[in-house]
Amino acid sequence: MTLPKGYARDAALLALYAIGFVITHRIAAAWDGDGYYSLWFPAAGLRFALLWRAGARFTLPVALVELGMDVLTGAVLLTTSDWLMTVSAVVRPVFAYGLTVFAIRRLLRRMESRGVLFTAPMPFAVGSVLAPIAAALAAVPQALLRPDLTGVTDLRAVVLSLNAFAIGDLLGVLLVAPPLLWAADHVSGRNRFAIRRRKVRVLVEGAAVLAVGILLAVGLAWIGLGLQPAPVLVAIAWVGLRLGRFGAWCALLTVATIVLPFTAGEMTTAARLHLHLGLATLVVTGYLAGSFADAQVRAREDLARRDRLLFQAERLKTLRAMSVAVIHEISQPLSTLSIEARHLHESAADAPPEVAATAALIHAKATQLSELVRRLRRYGGRAVDEPTPLPVSALMDSVLALARPEVSAAGVTLSVSRGDEDLVVLGQEVELAQAMMNLIRNAAQACGPSGEVTLAAEQEGDLVRLSVQNTCLPGQPAQPGMGVGTLIARAIVEAHGGTLVRVTEQSGRVRATIALPLVGEPG
């Protein structure tokens, strides 16, 4: 018996995580202190990267893997009477991380792209800072009620211990998770964390600013003012704002490479905590600054894309006006020509065969041109400006003809449920087709390859509901964009007296439903 492909992939991913967790957990032992959590915990970065990539649904499997590895390696013992409390201490941070990832993703779906704070990649940066803090706060009740388990017996020691917990996880998440996710995106081809090219001058500037900051900090320590993180903090913030996340992470890695080997040696816990607190401040500031810079760039790109769409819409509006004028100019003489061609064809019935054939050809060509102009007037003339009775089945046929090639090229399956074939609405076919195409295109882009989009029509009272629903693979990231397509679709639908509702289900599926009033069949 073989496991389905999705389960086999998840099992392989958890097996790799188990190996990585053991390795990174062993590495963290060099920064342990008596009664303190590890002040450098790279396993937290591995944990956050997996949950962010695969989704909060992996929370329970990850908790079980960590518990199993801790038991197998002897890191925790379940033979004591406090085994339940021990299990809680092991799995509690995982659930705090999973809850944070779930909350950030849910908030992201609600916010969509309404502000820079939740423009990619800011959600990841915010989540990577909040998750360690949430895990440390979750440990407060046990630390206060059972201080004997953590080795601290007074309130001051409890506070220091929990601070160490948060600091170690912060360093682990922000130094380990980004490169893991970059590597995963590169392998999978998603490229959500694409590194932006920078001018050599800007790179040299960033390196020089960082070097000056480090030298100033060393100089202040040398003259007896102690190790001051302010110069390095300003330098890393500068690098992040100028070079984005990747530049900030490289600067942070440089500083961490200097600090972490030094603090892994013989040192008092208080001194190590002081140095790692300063390093955590640098890491949080630098990565948030870099993420904000990248979010600003993404927002400007989305605004530029919106401006291009608006410019294109203006061009199309101008072309439509020109086409209406041209159609109006040629429709009258062409109508006369078609009538005369019909008369010629009828009159040439008794003429020689050559004349009759020529008359028939003229009549056929004139009829084709008249039909072409009639269609052009339908799409560019009064038929576009004035709503007409429109069968829903005909509307769906028009949409499917447009959507199938585009959806197939994206590797997405498009399925259809037509419902009653006699449903009729009052509307403009071209505009309603455009609204539905926008929704289908958004759904296909959100799914990515191997996804499925369903188009359905059903009657509900005196309304017809046209729904577009996508079914995405688990862990599919949110796609960037300004939501212009949905806004245009909503404007079209509301102009037709209908509504557009977009709902995200608990399973992650997104359903957009257009509700339009029904009318009688066209006469």
Side-chain angles (χ1 to χ4, degrees), residues 364-394:
K365 294 298 183 182
T367 302
Q368 291 178 3
L369 287 174
S370 296
E371 177 65 17
L372 175 61
V373 170
R374 186 187 69 81
R375 291 180 180 178
L376 289 175
R377 293 189 66 175
R378 178 187 178 193
Y379 285 100
R382 294 183 61 190
V384 173
D385 296 325
E386 298 179 1
T388 58
L390 173 64
V392 174
S393 58

Side-chain angles (χ1 to χ4, degrees), residues 121-147:
M122 282 303 292
F124 171 81
V126 173
S128 61
V129 173
L130 291 181
I133 296 175
L137 292 177
V140 170
Q142 180 175 328
L144 294 177
L145 297 175
R146 295 297 304 275

Side-chain angles (χ1 to χ4, degrees), residues 478-500:
Q479 299 298 313
M482 295 293 293
V484 176
T486 303
L487 293 176
I488 293 174
R490 178 172 283 110
I492 292 174
V493 171
E494 291 178 352
H496 284 76
T499 58
L500 172 58

Side-chain angles (χ1 to χ4, degrees), residues 213-232 255 258-259 262-263 267 271 274-276 278-279 282:
I214 294 174
L215 290 176
L216 284 176
V218 173
L220 292 175
W222 182 70
I223 63 176
L225 296 180
L227 191 59
Q228 301 295 328
V232 184
V255 177
I258 298 172
V259 174
F262 176 70
T263 57
M267 180 179 291
H274 175 73
L275 289 175
H276 280 228
L279 181 59
L282 300 179

Side-chain angles (χ1 to χ4, degrees), residues 461-477:
D462 59 349
L463 297 176
V464 59
R465 297 194 180 275
L466 305 172
S467 62
V468 178
Q469 177 178 285
N470 62 359
T471 303
C472 307
L473 294 176
Q476 182 71 18

Side-chain angles (χ1 to χ4, degrees), residues 63-381:
L64 294 176
V65 167
E66 292 195 14
L67 179 61
M69 292 300 101
D70 283 341
V71 172
L72 290 176
T73 58
V76 298
L77 300 176
L78 302 181
T79 57
T80 64
S81 58
D82 292 319
W83 66 270
L84 186 59
M85 191 70 71
T86 303
V87 170
S88 173
V90 173
V91 302
R92 184 181 55 242
V94 184
F95 282 94
Y97 275 54
L99 182 61
T100 302
V101 170
F102 173 79
I104 292 293
R105 288 292 181 85
R106 189 174 182 85
L107 182 60
L108 176 61
R109 286 196 295 267
R110 289 189 175 184
M111 294 288 292
E112 292 183 334
S113 293
R114 299 177 186 176
V116 174
L117 179 61
F118 277 86
T119 298
M122 282 303 292
F124 171 81
V126 173
S128 61
V129 173
L130 291 181
I133 296 175
L137 292 177
V140 170
Q142 180 175 328
L144 294 177
L145 297 175
R146 295 297 304 275
D148 54 300
L149 295 179
T150 57
V152 290
T153 56
D154 59 85
L155 182 60
R156 179 176 179 275
V158 169
V159 173
L160 290 176
S161 178
L162 295 177
N163 283 337
F165 183 180
I167 290 169
D169 276 24
L170 276 171
L171 294 177
V173 170
L174 288 174
L175 290 177
V176 175
L180 290 178
L181 291 172
W182 288 332
D185 289 334
H186 179 73
V187 171
S188 64
R190 294 182 182 180
N191 292 324
R192 287 185 296 139
F193 290 95
I195 300 172
R196 301 181 184 275
R197 294 183 178 180
R198 305 289 182 177
K199 295 181 179 180
V200 175
R201 177 181 58 82
V202 179
L203 296 176
V204 173
E205 172 194 308
V209 169
L210 179 62
V212 170
I214 294 174
L215 290 176
L216 284 176
V218 173
L220 292 175
W222 182 70
I223 63 176
L225 296 180
L227 191 59
Q228 301 295 328
V232 184
L233 180 67
V234 173
I236 288 181
W238 179 281
V239 172
L241 292 174
R242 292 286 286 167
L243 298 176
R245 288 168 300 155
F246 184 73
W249 184 82
C250 290
L252 295 171
L253 183 63
T254 301
V255 177
T257 304
I258 298 172
V259 174
L260 291 179
F262 176 70
T263 57
E266 293 295 331
M267 180 179 291
T268 63
T269 302
R272 184 183 290 122
L273 177 60
H274 175 73
L275 289 175
H276 280 228
L277 179 60
L279 181 59
T281 304
L282 300 179
V283 169
V284 173
T285 302
Y287 200 79
L288 286 178
S291 298
F292 178 79
D294 283 351
Q296 290 282 64
V297 172
R298 177 70 64 81
R300 285 195 294 268
E301 290 176 349
D302 289 338
L303 287 174
R305 176 175 172 271
R306 184 198 64 180
D307 291 341
R308 290 194 299 269
L309 288 174
L310 293 175
F311 177 71
Q312 184 68 13
E314 287 297 323
R315 290 184 61 189
L316 291 175
K317 184 178 179 180
T318 302
L319 290 174
R320 176 172 172 265
M322 293 175 60
S323 67
V324 169
V326 172
I327 291 169
H328 177 74
E329 291 296 327
I330 67 175
S331 60
Q332 186 62 37
L334 186 58
S335 176
T336 303
L337 177 61
S338 177
I339 294 173
E340 295 300 329
R342 187 180 72 250
H343 288 166
L344 177 62
H345 176 57
E346 294 173 351
S347 301
D350 299 329
E354 295 83 359
V355 176
T358 301
L361 178 62
I362 294 174
H363 177 248
K365 294 298 183 182
T367 302
Q368 291 178 3
L369 287 174
S370 296
E371 177 65 17
L372 175 61
V373 170
R374 186 187 69 81
R375 291 180 180 178
L376 289 175
R377 293 189 66 175
R378 178 187 178 193
Y379 285 100

